Amino acid sequence: MRHFTSVYDLPSLTEAIKMAREIKNNPFGHQHLGKNKTIVLIFFNASLRTRLSTQKAAMNLGMNTMVLNVNQDGWRMESELGVIMDGDKAEHLREAIPVIGRFCDIIGVRAFADLEDREADYAEKIINQFIQYSGVPVVSMEAATRHPLQSFADHLTIEEHKKIARPKVVLSWAPHPRALPQAVPNSFVEWMRHTDYDLVVTHPSGYELDPFFMGDIEVEYNQDKAFEGADFIYAKNWSSYTKYGEILSKDLNWTVTAQKMALTNKAKFMHCLPVRRNMIVTDEVLDSSSSIVVEEAENRVYSAQTILKLILEGLL
Ligand code: CP
């Protein structure tokens, strides 16, 4: 049984992008695949796009969908093994996961990093328990260290908008009032490294990502220099990996502005959303024709639908 937690789970990235484009042109062409099949979507964290796009993708394939917001709709869940459960957590994942697996054919899971213990977060304890105990294919809807459905949609969006074979794509850190996980930038870099794009990563000192994800990608610490000649600007905040979970800067000089966009090659502006206006990016940029964030969000449907289709066909 195959699961989808990263780009490495795809048989072919090129074929997956091609399939996503075909699905976008004909979203209801495979409704027979999901007949009498059910997907359960489990959310340990809030969501707008992932929840609705994955539900929409499943419905486009003719599947039934059920959603559980853990800790709100259900019992509070214990995830650690070997503990005495004398607190407010009434159920253990060890039983809950196989029970959920008996109710469905595929499980989607969202479980963010808690940003307290790097080793625990990077061990992906929650999603790995779903993989181990559910008995059905598991799809990551953003885990502690990766957000593969987002990165798939990002890649699809760049493919649709690129004007040259090898565009310059810049991942830029931007300020945010709260500490956010590294899942989106980790995953974005990982997917971009599977392309032939010219990837540049820019952030203030102290925000270096896990070398496992960065590989041989070098950091350009001067944001203006990074933006020069760029075809795509992908803005995102993340907390420090080295000083794990800490906010080291809220410097608004890193906000993406029209002046910075003027340094680029008429770049398209991208962000996974939700985005903090006038922290990450100014109103002027977000409301301009260079912003493709809504199309990028729409592509979440087709990236999710491609993955579900591959699973239903037994091809993942
Ligand atoms: N980009 C994204 O995953 O959005 P949500 O957190 O709203 O699902």
Side-chain angles (χ1 to χ4, degrees):
M1 184 186 311
R2 295 293 298 273
H3 308 279
F4 179 70
T5 63
S6 82
V7 67
Y8 296 102
D9 293 321
L10 289 175
S12 159
L13 180 52
T14 311
E15 287 302 312
I17 291 286
K18 195 171 150 214
M19 187 183 287
R21 295 184 85 153
E22 285 165 5
I23 286 171
K24 190 168 183 175
N25 283 330
N26 181 22
F28 307 115
H30 306 94
Q31 287 236 317
H32 60 285
L33 282 176
K35 186 174 164 55
N36 296 331
K37 302 281 185 188
T38 299
I39 186 167
V40 171
L41 307 179
I42 306 284
F43 287 91
F44 288 84
N45 312 96
S47 170
L48 187 155
R49 279 143 293 273
T50 304
R51 177 179 180 140
L52 297 181
S53 64
T54 311
Q55 273 192 279
K56 174 71 174 146
M59 290 190 293
N60 286 354
L61 288 165
M63 299 187 81
N64 299 306
T65 66
M66 299 194 289
V67 178
L68 180 67
N69 299 304
V70 177
N71 301 329
Q72 293 170 37
D73 302 342
W75 303 109
R76 282 183 61 76
M77 294 278 178
E78 179 59 63
S79 59
E80 294 300 318
L81 291 168
V83 295
I84 297 171
M85 290 175 59
D86 59 354
D88 62 346
K89 293 175 178 169
E91 179 146 26
H92 202 289
L93 281 178
R94 186 66 188 82
E95 290 76 53
I97 292 171
V99 168
I100 294 165
R102 299 289 176 103
F103 298 153
C104 64
D105 304 280
I106 302 175
I107 298 179
V109 183
R110 165 164 284 200
F112 290 174
D114 63 18
L115 297 179
E116 285 167 14
D117 179 342
R118 186 171 88 179
E119 200 180 330
D121 285 343
Y122 275 68
E124 293 285 9
K125 282 185 173 177
I126 303 284
I127 197 157
N128 281 339
Q129 287 194 58
F130 275 88
I131 288 170
Q132 192 174 357
Y133 301 129
S134 68
V136 297
V138 173
V139 174
S140 169
M141 299 193 300
E142 187 171 347
T145 61
R146 290 180 172 100
H147 193 355
L149 290 176
Q150 179 66 54
S151 306
F152 189 173
D154 298 336
H155 186 180
L156 175 61
T157 309
I158 294 171
E159 280 298 297
E160 290 175 330
H161 282 272
K162 72 179 188 184
K163 293 193 173 67
I164 54 173
R166 191 167 186 268
K168 179 175 177 182
V169 178
V170 177
L171 169 64
S172 179
W173 181 93
H176 194 282
R178 298 181 60 189
L180 300 185
Q182 297 105 30
V184 170
N186 283 346
S187 207
F188 185 77
V189 169
E190 188 165 68
W191 283 66
M192 292 300 106
R193 287 178 57 208
H194 279 74
T195 70
D196 189 33
Y197 303 158
D198 174 14
L199 176 64
V200 175
V201 178
T202 183
H203 57 69
S205 181
Y207 281 98
E208 291 76 14
L209 292 166
D210 181 352
F212 173 83
F213 289 98
M214 285 293 283
D216 58 3
I217 303 294
E218 289 192 10
V219 177
E220 171 53 70
Y221 290 95
N222 182 326
Q223 191 192 35
D224 285 356
K225 204 167 163 200
F227 273 41
E228 284 171 10
D231 299 294
F232 294 90
I233 299 296
Y234 193 99
K236 184 71 184 88
N237 174 269
W238 62 89
S239 59
S240 176
Y241 171 76
T242 45
K243 293 188 173 178
Y244 193 62
E246 288 187 26
I247 297 174
L248 307 180
S249 169
K250 293 183 186 174
D251 184 357
L252 293 177
N253 287 316
W254 281 79
T255 301
V256 178
T257 62
Q259 289 74 22
K260 290 182 199 283
M261 290 298 283
L263 299 169
T264 71
N265 180 27
K266 297 188 174 138
K268 296 295 183 190
F269 175 82
M270 299 178 70
H271 188 280
C272 61
L273 304 182
V275 68
R276 299 265 182 159
R277 282 176 173 255
N278 304 309
M279 287 286 302
I280 299 279
V281 56
T282 60
D283 290 338
E284 193 179 4
V285 173
L286 201 53
D287 296 334
S288 74
S289 58
S290 67
S291 172
I292 53 173
V293 297
V294 174
E295 283 178 75
E296 183 185 355
E298 183 196 339
N299 280 340
R300 294 292 308 277
V301 175
Y302 313 116
S303 63
Q305 198 168 329
T306 302
I307 299 305
L308 298 183
K309 177 174 178 283
L310 287 168
I311 291 173
L312 291 170
E313 291 175 324
L315 297 176
L316 192 71

